[in-house]
Amino acid sequence: MTAGHAPTYTSRLLTSETWGDFAALVEKHNGVWGGCWCMAFHPEGVRNAKSPEDNRTAKRAHVDRGTCHQVLVYSGDECVGWCQFGPPAELPTIKNAAAYARDLDHLPDWRIGCVFTASRHRGQGVARAAVGAALEAIAAAGGGTVEAYPEQSKGRPPQRGAYFQTGPEDLYAGFGFVRQRKIAKWRWVMRLTVPEPT
């Protein structure tokens, strides 16, 4: 990358056709977060999987069935990150579920699950490109209330990037998400209303 020039990214949805790009990125990172294969938010979660291969198989099944919404971010031809999103029925397994349910006024239309950036591309705007592309896809699908569950980064010791699998709070604030309520010491529910395209 030339000094002073921000990288240019493109995006594609995760489908059977782009599965190979997604799988290559996951495999480069040892299955991501202990072999999750981005299954943690799906109904099955990861607790019943006996191996990362079980998660891989389950993820591929979701992709083939069309029960997976995910934007892949590309630098040239290389997949360098993603943002997972979907309706609550598709992504029901969130952290701090009991605290979340306690003061719930209504379910959102959409949730953002995990955000991931390839190790060599961190700090270069991949996560921002991924969330932006996911919001565009949500708008194209009719818009609605979108929830994210980010980690607060201000006022706490520095954390490893892997800890922020749902993204840092300031990433979402940059898109206009606002705090709705706290569900853990460092985790917030943030909401944004996305209009459908005019």
Side-chain angles (χ1 to χ4, degrees), residues 33-101:
W33 296 313
C36 173
W37 276 86
C38 203
M39 277 297 298
F41 285 83
H42 284 293
E44 306 93 320
V46 294
R47 294 183 182 177
N48 295 325
K50 295 183 174 63
S51 69
E53 187 59 32
D54 286 349
N55 288 327
R56 184 188 197 281
T57 299
K59 186 70 176 187
R60 180 62 196 252
H62 275 291
V63 171
D64 290 344
R65 283 196 307 267
T67 53
C68 174
H69 291 78
Q70 205 153 320
V71 169
L72 305 180
V73 176
Y74 291 79
S75 176
D77 293 330
E78 180 187 8
C79 180
V80 296
W82 71 68
C83 178
Q84 178 190 45
F85 65 101
E90 193 173 280
L91 302 178
T93 312
I94 64 172
K95 289 185 176 180
N96 311 106
Y100 176 83

Side-chain angles (χ1 to χ4, degrees), residues 106-185:
H106 67 276
L107 285 172
D109 300 300
W110 300 89
R111 283 179 167 155
I112 291 181
C114 66
V115 181
F116 182 78
T117 301
S119 57
R120 291 189 302 107
H121 294 267
R122 289 175 188 160
Q124 298 176 39
V126 173
R128 181 169 177 74
V131 171
L135 293 175
E136 288 175 6
I138 288 169
T145 302
V146 184
E147 277 188 354
Y149 313 100
E151 292 276 338
Q152 180 179 330
S153 54
K154 293 178 181 173
R156 67 189 294 191
Q159 303 292 315
R160 291 186 306 111
Y163 189 72
F164 288 93
Q165 70 180 91
T166 54
E169 181 184 5
D170 55 355
L171 169 64
Y172 296 98
F175 285 99
F177 281 80
V178 295
R179 287 179 174 181
Q180 200 254 344
R181 58 201 169 96
K182 182 181 276 194
I183 54 173
K185 182 177 182 180

